[in-house]
Amino acid sequence: MDFKGLMNPALNEEIKRLIALGLHRRCVDEDLPRVAGLTLEINRLKRERNAVICAHVYQTPEIILGVGDLTGDSYKLAADCRKTAADTIIFCGVHFMAETAKILNPSKKVYVPSGNAGCSLSEAITATDVRKLKAGHPGLPVVTYINTSAEVKAESDCIVTSANAEKILRRMYEAHDKVIFIPDRFMGANLAKTLGKTPGRDIILWNGTCIVHEKFNAGLIDIYRRRYPGLVALAHAECPSEIIAAADFMGGTGDMMRYIGNTDAAAYLLVTECGFGELARLKFPNKNFVAMCRLCPYMKSITLNSVLALLTDPAPQEVTVPEDIAASARVSIEKMFELAA
Ligand code: SF4
């Protein structure tokens, strides 16, 4: 790789930094100077505005590694953003994640660098739906996946992420015979199976799905197994049960990354959003990964250009949550931190 033609020493240093992070293995040579120009300017403006960038693992590697300060899955980002001293949080993730950050950091400004960063799970259920569910099942605790709006969280008893849902549900079943789990029907069914519970009898589910994880094909896992002997298939807990049954491991993205780090399989098949696989390849360059991923259009609506545009003119993309909603939602999120500890 030869960048001799470049005259800007700061840009050359940034290119070297990105290469040290392994990003040259993702970008073609001609593209690295462009990416470096963006990361250089974003990091400069971020310092100037005392902002911190949270980057979810489904973002692109140049966002996670190039400009991200806090990185990880939903749980880690929610936990870590509570500790930041920055005045401003720029959330490179979807809207419900930024709302969670705002709820936990009411005095800080929180922004999402996209107007299209929704989530099919979050949009699958409203606060009115939850109130009706509660009225239909009086006395049952409402355990809610973090992929929901602030209003839905405010109607819930405890929030969970894929990293802690099993643990928290086990705690809930110590005091209750039956719980309401919303909104992901696949994750709910997968958890019910793990816990030996019966949907409809022990756990009331909602009909939400993730548009990325619901579409994987279990038959392909068997095809890949035949092609790559020793392959280990890891599937996200949002996948339908036939995918989980065909896989070797089910978990959230944090669990999946730890699994890869702690094992030495001949090859890994990652059944989740593509950004996770890209990051895994950079983190573990000596391991073999087989592609089976789908892009989340909401997550991928955020780019380095949109982050830079936000830092230049943040006003339109500020995330706000009414204080009464935030206060109730905060209780259910804090319950998660308490039970997950
Ligand atoms: S991957 Fe699925 S659950 Fe995650 S943000 Fe996209 S649509 Fe929502």
Side-chain angles (χ1 to χ4, degrees):
M1 192 171 296
D2 180 10
F3 295 106
K4 286 196 288 284
L6 298 171
M7 301 303 291
N8 180 336
L11 188 60
N12 280 335
E13 284 308 307
E14 183 66 357
I15 289 168
K16 282 187 203 157
R17 185 180 78 86
L18 298 184
I19 289 172
L21 290 168
L23 286 172
H24 59 299
R25 293 200 295 272
R26 169 177 161 76
C27 307
V28 294
D29 285 4
E30 294 75 19
D31 203 41
L32 201 53
R34 183 191 65 80
V35 171
L38 288 166
T39 56
L40 192 63
E41 183 62 358
I42 289 168
N43 286 325
R44 185 188 71 77
L45 286 170
K46 189 175 75 178
R47 284 190 294 275
E48 199 174 279
R49 303 201 184 344
N50 191 23
V52 71
I53 293 184
C54 293
H56 187 266
V57 288
Y58 291 165
Q59 294 294 300
T60 57
E62 54 265 31
I63 290 178
I64 298 171
L65 300 174
V67 299
D69 300 296
L70 305 175
T71 62
D73 59 15
S74 302
Y75 181 76
K76 186 168 184 303
L77 290 174
D80 288 353
C81 77
R82 294 195 298 175
K83 300 172 197 151
T84 181
D87 301 320
T88 297
I89 296 171
I90 297 173
F91 217 109
C92 294
V94 290
H95 193 262
F96 75 80
M97 296 176 180
E99 273 190 341
T100 305
K102 179 66 184 176
I103 291 163
L104 294 170
N105 299 275
S107 64
K108 297 185 192 299
K109 297 266 190 195
V110 178
Y111 301 94
V112 178
S114 165
N116 297 311
C119 169
S120 62
L121 277 172
S122 180
E123 285 148 27
I125 190 163
T126 65
T128 305
D129 295 326
V130 185
R131 284 192 286 272
K132 282 185 190 161
L133 264 179
K134 291 198 286 191
H137 303 278
L140 296 195
V142 178
V143 179
T144 298
Y145 192 30
I146 198 165
N147 296 36
T148 42
S149 67
E151 289 79 6
V152 166
K153 288 184 176 77
E155 292 290 337
S156 305
D157 295 293
C158 185
I159 303 306
V160 298
T161 70
S162 49
N164 55 42
E166 181 186 333
K167 182 178 186 179
I168 290 177
L169 277 175
R170 284 188 195 282
R171 297 285 302 272
M172 285 288 170
Y173 279 115
E174 288 170 8
H176 303 272
D177 294 332
K178 195 169 177 177
V179 303
I180 297 170
F181 181 85
I182 55 171
D184 188 337
R185 70 182 163 102
F186 292 132
M187 180 181 282
N190 294 333
L191 287 163
K193 190 168 182 202
T194 302
L195 297 171
K197 304 292 179 187
T198 304
R201 188 188 69 191
D202 310 313
I203 185 164
I204 305 299
L205 301 178
W206 191 251
N207 201 23
T209 59
C210 160
I211 57 163
V212 173
H213 291 96
E214 72 178 344
K215 300 238 171 67
F216 286 112
N217 180 340
L220 279 176
I221 297 180
D222 290 334
I223 291 171
Y224 279 116
R225 276 195 204 286
R226 286 197 290 278
R227 194 172 294 171
Y228 300 97
L231 174 139
V232 169
L234 285 68
H236 194 280
E238 291 167 9
C239 291
S241 54
E242 63 269 21
I243 297 281
I244 301 301
D248 301 288
F249 179 83
M250 172 185 88
T253 51
D255 306 312
M256 291 164 79
M257 201 64 91
R258 272 187 295 281
Y259 185 100
I260 296 165
N262 294 334
T263 55
D264 195 18
Y268 296 90
L269 175 64
L270 306 175
V271 189
T272 188
E273 211 275 344
C274 302
F276 178 82
E278 289 189 278
L279 190 62
R281 279 189 178 87
L282 289 173
K283 272 179 175 272
F284 305 108
N286 297 323
K287 300 198 180 204
N288 295 318
F289 295 96
V290 177
M292 180 166 167
C293 72
R294 291 174 50 81
L295 290 167
C296 172
Y298 307 112
M299 286 282 183
K300 281 348 193 230
S301 68
I302 296 170
T303 62
L304 284 176
N305 281 307
S306 71
V307 178
L308 182 58
L310 174 84
L311 279 159
T312 311
D313 180 17
Q317 285 143 313
E318 182 171 0
V319 174
T320 56
V321 180
E323 186 41 46
D324 56 332
I325 301 284
S328 299
R330 200 174 298 124
V331 173
S332 62
I333 298 169
E334 291 295 346
K335 188 75 181 168
M336 170 182 74
F337 289 124
E338 179 197 326
L339 294 181

